[in-house]
Amino acid sequence: MLLNELPERVVEWKDALAQQSCLWREGEWEAGHLPEVKGRLVLLAERLSKQALVASLQVLDEAGIRVELSAVAVVAGRELASLRLSAWSPALKAALQQVATDWDLACVPSLPSADKPGLVLMDMDSTAIQIECIDEIAALAGVGEEVAAVTRAAMEGALPFSESLRRRVAALAGADAGIIDEVIGRMPLMPGLTELVAGLKAMGWKVAIASGGFVPFARHLQQQLGLDAVFANTLEIRDGKLTGEVLGAIVDADAKANILVELAHEHGIPIAQTVAIGDGANDLKMLAQACLGVALHAKPLVQQQAPVCLNRLSLEGVLGLLQAR
């Protein structure tokens, strides 16, 4: 079927294409399958338009890549198109991102399968929740501007994470520990988080948090959402006051990547069935370790290096990526 004969919304193509996989050949779709798949492209949007696919196909045509449209679907209220590719490269991903004006995309060598057990490990601050907890604590302790500046530097990769964390926590010395409960009481979840966790649990997947933030906030999320595990840092408290110290080893970039491997091994899950989600520089090693690394509304450095970036959708987009296969 010629492209100009298809509806403007890609989600409506299913009926027009008789719900079958189609190969893109010389400006039209025809029934068929690629003999060998070397990459996958998923386009996602609140409403996915034909223009998104047209722009992407132009990039793929210029690169000499054969394309199979394998699925169009609505997942968690968002629309997606899933394509199989005859070739993949980082340069292809970059070229596709250049034309993505109002849609998100993932261009990767492979995707985990929703039909097999898997693991999602996510960062907490500015990923699972909309705030940086240490900044909120600092604001209530009267040192907000000082701590927020260090947080920004750490998330942008300008400071080693462990050094930045110790510096920020030191500024909290003497603050009333009751501030922690106050922040927990108004902690906003990231849009799409509850849908993502519910969808993962329905698939039989494990869901965990590895955070450079703090244990009370992570445990609150664990209880609220039924997460399988949480890993975070421990603030020292004496006589109801924060001492300005962190107890034990810090959950930094290396720790996050190691946690992903250890959790996968513990549950008998292959790395090919793992997903990591984060937003800051200290998440990059975790994103690289997973089969599918997703940067969510990320800092510029992370945008450049992350395998997949979600900038328009939120966490519900991750569920779409997993269902796209």
Side-chain angles (χ1 to χ4, degrees):
M1 178 173 285
L2 293 173
L3 193 62
N4 60 14
E5 297 174 347
L6 289 164
E8 288 302 314
R9 286 181 66 189
V10 175
V11 74
E12 298 173 0
W13 289 16
K14 185 178 290 187
D15 292 336
L17 295 174
Q19 302 187 35
Q20 60 189 347
S21 293
C22 295
L23 290 175
W24 175 247
R25 293 182 188 271
E26 298 178 356
E28 63 181 305
W29 296 103
E30 60 182 46
H33 294 278
L34 278 178
E36 188 175 13
V37 177
K38 294 291 185 67
R40 291 180 178 269
L41 171 62
V42 183
L43 308 178
L44 311 101
E46 188 169 346
R47 292 171 65 91
L48 188 62
S49 69
K50 183 161 61 176
Q51 173 55 30
L53 206 47
V54 168
S56 301
L57 288 170
Q58 288 175 344
V59 172
L60 297 169
D61 285 344
E62 290 170 5
I65 293 173
R66 297 183 64 197
V67 180
E68 175 191 337
L69 178 64
S70 59
V72 294
V74 179
V75 178
R78 302 296 183 256
E79 301 176 1
L80 66 87
S82 180
L83 302 99
R84 299 185 177 108
L85 310 178
S86 64
W88 178 87
S89 71
L92 177 64
K93 169 199 152 191
L96 288 162
Q97 287 177 325
Q98 288 294 316
V99 301
T101 56
D102 60 356
W103 62 91
D104 284 323
L105 67 90
C107 184
V108 292
S110 62
L111 288 168
S113 172
D115 298 329
K116 300 176 183 177
L119 165 70
V120 168
L121 182 64
M122 70 181 83
D123 177 40
M124 180 174 65
D125 294 33
S126 298
T127 298
I129 59 177
Q130 297 183 55
I131 59 172
E132 294 285 333
C133 291
I134 193 166
D135 290 354
E136 300 297 316
I137 295 171
L140 292 173
V143 291
E145 291 185 9
E146 173 187 347
V147 168
V150 181
T151 298
R152 286 193 297 272
M155 293 301 97
E156 293 167 0
L159 274 178
F161 180 79
S162 294
E163 176 189 338
S164 75
L165 183 68
R166 293 192 187 281
R167 189 186 300 183
R168 287 177 287 167
V169 171
L172 303 177
D176 193 312
I179 290 174
I180 293 173
D181 288 334
E182 187 173 345
V183 175
I184 287 174
R186 62 189 194 196
M187 187 169 69
L189 302 183
M190 188 64 72
L193 177 64
T194 54
E195 291 86 349
L196 174 61
V197 174
L200 292 169
K201 288 183 171 295
M203 290 158 48
W205 279 44
K206 301 295 181 181
V207 195
I209 279 177
S211 173
F214 305 114
V215 168
F217 305 97
R219 285 186 177 161
H220 178 80
L221 286 179
Q222 184 176 25
Q223 294 168 359
Q224 184 177 3
L225 300 170
L227 304 178
D228 294 286
V230 295
F231 303 84
N233 298 302
T234 301
L235 290 167
E236 184 179 46
I237 298 173
R238 284 188 201 154
D239 301 324
K241 302 287 185 180
L242 299 179
T243 68
E245 298 291 335
V246 180
L247 298 178
I250 287 177
V251 179
D252 60 8
D254 289 324
K256 290 184 176 189
N258 291 336
I259 287 167
L260 184 134
V261 173
E262 291 163 5
L263 274 179
H265 182 265
E266 177 185 338
H267 295 289
I269 295 168
I271 292 298
Q273 284 294 109
T274 60
V275 178
I277 313 169
D279 73 295
N282 65 318
D283 296 314
L284 280 169
K285 290 185 177 181
M286 176 177 71
L287 301 188
Q289 184 69 64
C291 172
L292 181 64
V294 180
L296 183 73
H297 308 159
K299 311 303 184 289
L301 174 70
V302 185
Q303 293 269 358
Q304 295 169 14
Q305 298 184 28
V308 176
C309 299
L310 292 180
N311 295 319
R312 296 160 186 86
L313 301 187
S314 194
L315 286 171
E316 76 283 354
V318 178
L319 197 60
L321 293 175
L322 293 176
Q323 296 287 346
R325 214 174 115 157

